[in-house]
Amino acid sequence: MYKIVSKEKIGPNIQSYEIFAPEIAKNAQPGQFIMFRINDNAERVPLTIAHTNYQKGLVKIIFQETGKSTKQLASLSEGDYIQDFVGPLGRPTEIKKYGTIVVVVGGVGVAEALPIIKAFKKIGNKIITIVGVKSKNLIILENELKKESDLLFFATNDGTYGVKGLVTDILEKIINKEEIDMFYIIGPVLMMQAVAKFTKEKHIYTLASLNPIMLDGTGMCGACRVTIDNKIKFACVDGPEFDAHLVNWEELISRLNSFKNLEEISMNKFEQKQECKCHRT
Amino acid sequence: MSQNIRMLEREPKIRKHDFEQISFGYSKEEMLIEARRCLQCKKPMCCVGCPVEVDIPKFIKFLSDDKPQEAIKILRENNSLPAVCGRVCPQETQCEKFCILYKQNASICIGNLERYAADSTSKIHNSFFNISSIKKNGLKIAVVGSGPAGLTCGGDLLRMGYDVTIYESLHDSGGVLRYGIPEFRLPKKILDIEINILKKSGMKINLNTFIGRTKTIRDLFNEGYKSIFIAVGAGLPIFPNIPGENLNHVYSASEFLVRINLMHAYDFPIYDTPVYKGKNVVVIGGGNTAMDSARTSIRLGAKTVKLIYRRTEDEMPSRKEEKKHAKEEGVEFIVLTSPVRFIGDVKRFVKAVECVKMESNGHSNFGVKNSLKKIDGSNHIIETDMVILALGLHPNPVLSSLTNNLNIDTRGYLIVDNNYMTSIPGIFAGGDIVGGSTVIEAIGMGKKAAKAIVEYIKKTNRYMQKTKF
């Protein structure tokens, strides 16, 4: 059992948890993920590690309530326990000096990108961070981002903060001003696909952290298989990062929809149950 | 000599709608008749055929005297998993094949008897493994992986007084016995009983620990383990490398079976993990895993299940019994046929398999399968909404790639010597990760490795004592 040591709401439907898992805290590196399973009936869900505190044995995860499992996780309180929490999984990000790195993040991808940004920054890369969210209130960890980035841009769909539009609108502008050596992208798959298309045209090396459906997360089942350069790779053990220009994005997008109907059934069932609880109290 | 008595099997048309076992086992009367048929050979050949060296005549003798609690002691002396072996061992090619009555087609049903001994004593098992009687030597040994090889090796070492800790990456123990073999072949509660006996005897099982990532091999040595047994199983499922293999609802058998067996997806949405329930399912492969996938699909309500295999039925690696059960339950075998591509609809969900007929170039020799060739112009379409690929597994590369000097062969299997020791002194390995492919092979290797580990520790201790002075 793994204790939720702290819980903080850092945005609308966005939660930040610190979990007591000393072995993971000790060995985790930027870019790696954990899998959690709330209880005996729950599914195994991957989440990228947002931060670790080795001294205190804490692993931080930040997540948005999007489906049944994340909503259920958010319904837990400080002091509660998660049944299973395994990691660190996946290959760590290869941290090396590229020069100028543009990190493009969408939504809660900010939390996942921060440790990678920090590590890249620490060894002397110049970091330009571009954040894309729907609206201003969904921006998280802005101060941390400011601290770690040499330049920081925001794009919001509704124009409530930064540039009105998409991350690619900002890319268009900075690409001519800056000498860029590498792109790192993490976030919703459609955003990553769009950025990958853009950087491919510019012939600039781009690494994407992929988020396919996973089951065991240890290289056993192939649920998370993605096609990279026409070859099958398992995101859980070969990734989760791959050369964004070699990813078959259409396939990844369609595979993410494999269980859409069933996921909705699961979520509706959970929400109905939650409502009942409210009526009782 | 009278015919043997096999366990009664449930009617296929009934059992194919549930996940209960095919047979509920012997009645006491049936057991007694079968056990008393054993000739108690002076030189029992059956034992020669047993990879775990069970004293077969002795346990059967106790059964014939209606003393299952004595019979199970004999079984557990050499085997930590008798209830498992009684169900999934291919006895027909092992012990029962060497039975003196085999020639009269009346071999003693050793597997059925073993199962009876284990099941009938499962409630009183605690008394068997007398913890206080084991003399503990305090030496720590780590086992990586809680599948059949790991549990066996760990169980044997426990009996010899070692302090055994098993590390398991998943959230539950048992390895392939948990996530791979379906409930109707090996009920989870039977597996739980076996594992609980080991736990009560002092075996520690640490779940959610992916050795290589959560901790390294070096960490384990630093924690004071004298030796490590690696039994992480196989891993990466093999895909056929043909167009359309990543369409939605094309699954590896591992994914399909993990969803069902480990995650209980058949009980969705009570359990959160979903699985697609195919209506016209195509399974590709001819091994036990293919049979398990096909028979599970039937139980999930498929209208048709076609099992496509590129060779003949006789050449299928599956156990005979599994083939028989699959056919009885309505699985249609399509042999000498191979898929060439999977065809999807506009939303990238699989809707058909294009296949080609195969022909063999001659007879297969012992151990070597004859080569096959495609028959030109034999392409045809089989409609389906779900494909399950059961084509075998590649070894999981994670641990070997993260451990310096742990050598692998060209296919990725850990290299071991005759004593199952890897390229690193003190680290042993067995089961699928060294190239095994069945539960019983894994159990056999686990046993042999346990002996080798004991020898190794004795030798290094002697050496250390010598060097002290």
Side-chain angles (χ1 to χ4, degrees):
Chain A
M1 301 287 272
Y2 300 81
K3 190 176 183 180
I4 301 168
V5 176
S6 76
K7 173 182 178 174
E8 190 190 348
K9 192 175 175 187
I10 60 167
N13 297 323
I14 303 173
Q15 305 283 349
S16 173
Y17 281 17
E18 281 179 306
I19 311 290
F20 185 67
E23 285 174 341
I24 304 176
K26 185 181 161 197
N27 288 313
Q29 294 170 63
Q32 290 186 300
F33 63 94
I34 55 92
M35 299 214 53
F36 72 86
R37 193 179 74 123
I38 299 169
N39 58 34
D40 272 337
N41 288 35
E43 58 181 344
R44 294 169 66 93
V45 183
L47 276 179
T48 304
I49 296 167
H51 184 70
T52 52
N53 183 330
Y54 170 43
Q55 280 82 19
K56 291 185 178 165
L58 299 179
V59 176
K60 187 185 276 185
I61 48 171
I62 293 177
F63 60 95
Q64 192 166 17
E65 299 167 44
T66 50
K68 195 260 171 176
S69 293
T70 42
K71 277 185 196 294
Q72 190 180 0
L73 185 61
S75 74
L76 300 178
S77 312
E78 209 169 272
D80 285 348
Y81 288 83
I82 301 173
Q83 180 142 324
D84 302 295
F85 197 75
V86 61
L89 302 172
R91 290 173 192 251
T93 309
E94 197 189 336
I95 302 297
K96 59 179 186 185
K97 191 153 179 194
Y98 289 94
T100 300
I101 300 176
V102 176
V103 180
V104 188
V105 285
V108 283
V110 169
E112 300 166 345
L114 250 181
I116 298 158
I117 291 175
K118 279 184 193 165
F120 275 138
K121 173 85 180 163
K122 203 176 168 187
I123 62 160
N125 290 291
K126 179 180 174 183
I127 306 288
I128 301 172
T129 306
I130 304 173
V131 181
V133 285
K134 279 189 187 138
S135 190
K136 187 187 174 183
N137 64 344
L138 289 165
I139 292 171
I140 54 169
L141 305 169
E142 188 181 354
N143 289 334
E144 286 87 340
L145 282 176
K146 255 184 204 156
K147 200 177 128 204
E148 302 294 335
S149 313
D150 295 277
L151 288 168
L152 177 61
F153 300 95
F154 289 94
T156 49
N157 296 27
D158 59 4
T160 44
Y161 200 64
V163 174
K164 183 180 176 179
L166 303 170
V167 288
T168 39
D169 298 329
I170 298 174
L171 285 178
E172 294 280 5
K173 284 174 193 152
I174 63 161
I175 195 89
N176 299 319
K177 290 186 196 156
E178 298 279 343
E179 192 78 19
I180 299 162
D181 299 290
M182 185 253 200
F183 281 86
Y184 187 94
I185 50 182
I186 183 165
V189 67
L190 290 173
M191 181 213 84
M192 292 198 285
Q193 184 191 29
V195 176
K197 185 170 174 259
F198 178 88
T199 63
K200 194 174 184 177
E201 283 161 11
K202 310 286 179 198
H203 305 287
I204 303 171
Y205 177 61
T206 303
L207 213 50
S209 179
L210 304 187
N211 56 350
I213 292 173
M214 283 189 190
L215 184 57
D216 67 276
T218 62
M220 215 173 72
C221 80
C224 68
R225 65 192 190 272
V226 288
T227 300
I228 309 294
D229 201 14
N230 295 317
K231 287 185 205 74
I232 287 185
K233 295 282 176 190
F234 289 8
C236 67
V237 291
D238 299 320
E241 293 167 0
F242 296 99
D243 184 334
H245 300 161
L246 303 176
V247 174
N248 183 335
W249 292 99
E250 287 79 20
E251 182 186 281
L252 175 61
I253 291 163
S254 85
R255 286 183 64 80
L256 282 166
N257 289 327
S258 287
F259 296 105
K260 217 167 183 186
N261 304 340
L262 294 171
E263 282 162 5
E264 272 167 28
I265 291 172
S266 187
M267 183 137 97
N268 291 340
K269 183 179 153 251
F270 178 73
E271 284 180 336
Q272 273 168 13
K273 229 168 131 188
Q274 294 295 100
E275 276 168 30
C276 291
K277 211 156 75 183
C278 298
H279 288 307
R280 254 188 279 135
T281 48
Chain B
M1 191 67 203
S2 58
Q3 256 315 313
N4 52 18
I5 297 186
R6 299 211 158 265
M7 299 181 306
L8 284 179
E9 293 181 353
R10 294 162 64 223
E11 282 287 317
K13 62 173 187 275
I14 294 169
R15 71 181 194 232
K16 73 181 197 182
H17 297 296
D18 63 44
F19 280 84
E20 300 281 337
Q21 295 182 87
I22 303 316
S23 167
F24 290 134
Y26 278 142
S27 66
K28 184 170 146 184
E29 291 69 31
E30 290 165 333
M31 177 281 289
L32 287 174
I33 296 171
E34 187 61 13
R36 286 168 186 168
R37 285 178 61 245
C38 176
L39 300 177
Q40 293 291 319
C41 303
K42 283 225 173 69
K43 281 186 186 165
M45 295 309 290
C46 51
C47 298
V48 179
C50 176
V52 292
E53 300 157 20
V54 165
D55 190 341
I56 295 167
K58 202 166 170 189
F59 99 78
I60 293 182
K61 183 77 185 73
F62 279 123
L63 280 184
S64 68
D65 295 338
D66 194 19
K67 289 180 181 161
Q69 66 280 13
E70 295 300 318
I72 192 68
K73 281 185 193 168
I74 303 299
L75 283 162
R76 288 201 188 277
E77 258 171 33
N78 273 311
N79 185 357
S80 295
L81 305 166
V84 173
C85 287
R87 288 174 167 80
V88 305
C89 267
Q91 289 97 9
E92 65 278 8
T93 61
Q94 296 175 165
C95 51
E96 292 177 14
K97 193 179 179 179
F98 290 90
C99 176
I100 194 85
L101 300 171
Y102 178 76
K103 281 188 190 133
Q104 289 137 57
N105 204 15
S107 293
I108 302 295
C109 297
I110 300 168
N112 291 180
L113 289 170
E114 181 179 28
R115 175 174 158 180
Y116 180 90
D119 288 1
S120 65
T121 54
S122 65
K123 291 201 177 68
I124 50 159
H125 60 256
N126 298 348
S127 57
F128 152 68
F129 219 77
N130 198 340
I131 303 161
S132 56
S133 73
I134 303 172
K135 208 176 139 204
K136 294 212 167 78
N137 62 25
L139 296 171
K140 284 170 65 177
I141 295 179
V143 173
V144 186
S146 68
L151 290 173
T152 299
C153 182
D156 279 16
L157 290 166
L158 210 61
R159 255 177 249 124
M160 291 186 266
Y162 290 86
D163 180 359
V164 178
T165 305
I166 296 193
Y167 290 94
E168 168 59 51
S169 65
L170 291 173
H171 59 258
D172 207 346
S173 53
V176 70
L177 304 174
R178 175 91 47 194
Y179 70 73
I181 298 180
E183 185 74 15
F184 54 84
R185 280 221 286 145
L186 174 62
K188 302 295 168 280
K189 66 170 198 271
I190 298 285
L191 177 62
D192 287 337
I193 289 169
E194 303 267 52
I195 292 174
N196 278 332
I197 292 175
L198 291 167
K199 279 191 189 166
K200 282 189 177 143
S201 314
M203 182 184 280
K204 286 164 273 187
I205 302 183
N206 289 351
L207 303 172
N208 294 320
T209 312
F210 192 15
I211 298 299
R213 290 283 183 211
T214 313
K215 287 179 183 211
T216 60
I217 290 287
R218 184 189 291 251
D219 290 336
L220 293 179
F221 277 126
N222 289 342
E223 285 175 29
Y225 291 102
K226 298 290 171 209
S227 176
I228 298 169
F229 179 59
I230 298 175
V232 295
L236 318 177
I238 294 172
F239 289 89
N241 196 21
I242 58 176
E245 63 191 2
N246 297 337
L247 287 167
N248 287 343
H249 298 335
V250 176
Y251 298 86
S252 75
S254 308
E255 179 182 350
F256 177 64
L257 293 173
V258 166
R259 284 182 185 277
I260 299 293
N261 299 331
L262 180 68
M263 307 307 296
H264 307 273
Y266 56 87
D267 226 351
F268 177 88
I270 293 170
Y271 285 84
D272 291 346
T273 305
V275 70
Y276 179 69
K277 295 179 179 174
K279 290 167 200 72
N280 297 295
V281 178
V282 165
V283 177
I284 301 186
N288 288 332
T289 309
M291 300 302 154
D292 286 345
S293 303
R295 297 173 66 198
T296 300
S297 299
I298 293 260
R299 283 161 175 75
L300 291 179
K303 272 195 291 187
T304 67
V305 176
K306 295 184 167 75
L307 188 137
I308 297 178
Y309 184 58
R310 63 199 173 112
R311 299 179 180 277
T312 62
E313 192 180 320
D314 286 341
E315 289 170 290
M316 286 181 180
S318 161
R319 279 183 74 187
K320 238 186 201 164
E321 188 184 78
E322 305 305 326
K323 283 189 264 189
K324 174 179 153 266
H325 286 153
K327 279 186 170 176
E328 286 171 355
E329 291 164 9
V331 176
E332 184 189 340
F333 286 19
I334 302 177
V335 296
L336 288 167
T337 300
S338 192
V340 290
R341 71 179 171 121
F342 303 106
I343 302 161
D345 63 15
V346 284
K347 287 183 168 173
R348 290 175 177 256
F349 283 79
V350 68
K351 64 171 189 183
V353 191
E354 183 179 331
C355 292
V356 64
K357 297 301 275 179
M358 310 294 284
E359 64 184 350
S360 63
N361 288 341
H363 296 289
S364 63
N365 296 319
F366 179 75
V368 183
K369 284 184 174 162
N370 50 352
S371 57
L372 290 170
K373 64 172 191 206
K374 291 177 183 173
I375 301 176
D376 287 339
S378 66
N379 293 47
H380 58 286
I381 299 284
I382 295 173
E383 284 185 17
T384 178
D385 60 333
M386 182 180 199
V387 174
I388 303 169
L389 304 167
L391 303 170
L393 306 161
H394 288 304
N396 191 323
V398 175
L399 184 55
S400 56
S401 69
L402 293 172
T403 310
N404 288 338
N405 305 321
L406 191 59
N407 294 343
I408 52 174
D409 67 15
T410 49
R411 294 171 303 166
Y413 294 108
L414 291 182
I415 297 172
V416 288
D417 65 15
N418 292 336
N419 291 318
Y420 295 92
M421 188 147 90
T422 64
S423 49
I424 302 178
I427 300 185
F428 295 75
D432 282 11
I433 193 63
V434 304
S437 64
T438 61
V439 169
I440 191 65
E441 272 180 88
I443 290 176
M445 289 191 221
K447 284 198 77 66
K448 289 186 184 116
K451 281 184 195 152
I453 287 170
V454 171
E455 283 308 307
Y456 168 82
I457 289 179
K458 277 185 189 156
K459 217 160 64 186
T460 46
N461 271 0
R462 270 203 300 275
Y463 174 74
M464 279 161 73
Q465 273 162 5
K466 265 186 207 160
T467 49
K468 256 184 208 165
F469 295 102

